[in-house]
Amino acid sequence: SPASPDGTALDRIERAYADGRIDAPTRALLGLTLARSPASLPAEFQPHAGEAPPRCGAMLVRRAWLESDLGSFSEAQSAQFAGGVARPNLDSSVAVLDSAGTTVIATVHYNTASTTLVAAEAAGAFVTESWTAQVEQRGWRVPPEDAGGGSTADPDVDLDIYLDPAQNAAVTVPEGTGPEAWEDVPTVVVIDPTVANIQTFIAHELNHVLQYGYDAREADMIYEATAVWMEDEIYDTVNDYTFYVGDFQAAPERALSYATYEGSYMYGAALFVHYLASFGGDGHLIEPLWDGMKQTGATNTVDFYDSVEEWERANT
């Protein structure tokens, strides 16, 4: 993004919060708006011309979801939140099958006025590739079924992905309550179909979907670090993640739980996940670490550090 003396839109939101000019619920809703529809932000927080959006706005959406879950919003703010997380209204869809071609795993929704069937089917093929790599090969749990919107073949399909040009890059949106005893949450994904290397965005957001099937309450850093690691595992030749590593390497004094959209530290922390994955062989350690983070209740009582320590005790 081009440099600006007053920073990015998110810089200004965070500064307003730090200065006490806005409270936590307002900050969360502004972040949600930035992630979903930045043009509707108040003038003070509008992105500058040419300012790149966050690669993934999932943690901004989750911040608002957590505030909603806490009951922090006023009635008007609750209505704003509901509008901010609403599914896009798109006119067409294609069903996506698993690698065997026998089971519907997702539905890709699109508008024929802005996205061709060929582009939607190509996105669907990337979903199959990512699902194969993450669920079938690396053993991640099938995500909880979402609240609807699926294909004719399977209206309760596990995942709905919306290709919406109005979306600011990509987000994963928590929606409802999962069926398990632990804190699992169904989600939907919204992606701008014009983003470069859309396959890496699909791999990244699918990993967020799977993460929510284990723990909706974990710290932001491990969500983003794992998702960036996974996109590099699946689409190794793209190497988008290398652009973020410098920010991570430049701040060795920071705790691994450090997470902010000021810079790209939590994306670059994918380098640390690469290190962890090396102990499990071909990345198979990372799913057990997420499995070890499961907990009941809204408090993050079993965190990433706990899971790593438990795995170390069990395997040394």
Side-chain angles (χ1 to χ4, degrees):
S1 300
S4 174
D6 62 351
T8 66
L10 191 56
D11 290 336
R12 281 170 273 133
I13 293 170
E14 294 299 290
R15 191 160 57 244
Y17 176 68
D19 292 345
R21 293 188 290 114
I22 60 174
D23 60 13
T26 303
R27 172 201 189 203
L29 287 173
L30 288 170
L32 171 63
T33 305
L34 175 63
R36 296 300 310 277
S37 54
S40 59
L41 282 165
E44 177 184 359
F45 303 112
Q46 282 281 330
H48 296 299
E51 181 182 315
R55 175 173 175 78
C56 166
M59 295 301 99
L60 293 175
V61 175
R62 194 175 79 112
R63 180 187 288 174
W65 175 76
L66 290 169
E67 290 288 347
S68 176
D69 190 61
L70 286 170
S72 303
F73 292 147
S74 67
E75 184 175 347
Q77 288 174 324
S78 292
Q80 184 181 348
F81 170 74
V85 298
R87 297 180 182 218
N89 185 18
L90 308 181
D91 60 28
S92 299
S93 65
V94 293
V96 180
L97 301 178
D98 64 3
S99 62
T102 57
T103 302
V104 176
I105 56 172
T107 301
V108 171
H109 303 265
Y110 67 103
N111 262 346
T112 52
S114 58
T115 305
T116 66
L117 173 60
V118 171
E121 289 178 337
F126 290 136
V127 174
T128 299
E129 286 181 355
S130 288
W131 181 278
T132 301
Q134 298 188 50
V135 176
E136 298 177 17
Q137 295 176 354
R138 288 175 175 80
W140 286 66
R141 291 180 57 85
V142 172
E145 293 183 348
D146 65 28
S151 68
T152 303
D154 185 355
D156 295 322
V157 70
D158 292 306
L159 177 60
D160 286 292
I161 298 175
Y162 294 82
L163 301 180
D164 184 6
Q167 173 57 44
N168 200 23
V171 294
T172 299
V173 181
E175 185 180 81
T177 303
E180 306 295 348
W182 59 87
E183 283 289 296
D184 66 323
V185 172
T187 58
V188 299
V189 169
V190 191
I191 300 176
D192 175 1
T194 69
V195 292
N197 297 322
I198 192 172
Q199 69 271 35
T200 64
F201 284 82
I202 288 171
H204 184 112
E205 300 306 324
L206 176 59
N207 193 241
H208 283 324
V209 170
L210 301 178
Q211 291 164 7
Y212 271 105
Y214 294 89
D215 185 3
R217 307 286 175 171
E218 195 51 52
D220 288 355
M221 186 283 289
I222 197 61
Y223 278 93
E224 289 296 2
T226 304
V228 172
W229 166 79
M230 185 65 83
E231 68 181 74
D232 184 61
E233 282 285 290
I234 300 172
Y235 298 108
D236 181 49
T237 59
V238 177
N239 287 325
D240 278 350
Y241 95 102
T242 60
F243 296 106
Y244 314 126
V245 169
D247 199 26
F248 176 72
Q249 292 287 74
E253 75 283 359
R254 289 175 176 166
L256 284 168
S257 55
Y258 180 86
T260 175
Y261 279 102
E262 296 176 30
S264 54
Y265 181 87
M266 62 183 176
Y267 297 131
L271 189 65
F272 176 64
V273 182
H274 272 292
Y275 167 75
L276 289 176
S278 68
F279 290 95
D282 196 27
H284 286 82
L285 169 61
I286 306 305
E287 186 279 334
L289 290 181
W290 273 90
D291 189 67
M293 287 187 257
K294 299 199 304 277
Q295 83 245 323
T296 59
T299 302
N300 189 29
T301 53
V302 184
D303 63 20
F304 165 68
Y305 297 109
D306 296 325
S307 185
V308 171
E309 289 173 2
E310 180 57 35
W311 183 89
E312 186 177 30
R313 280 193 294 269
N315 291 276
T316 56

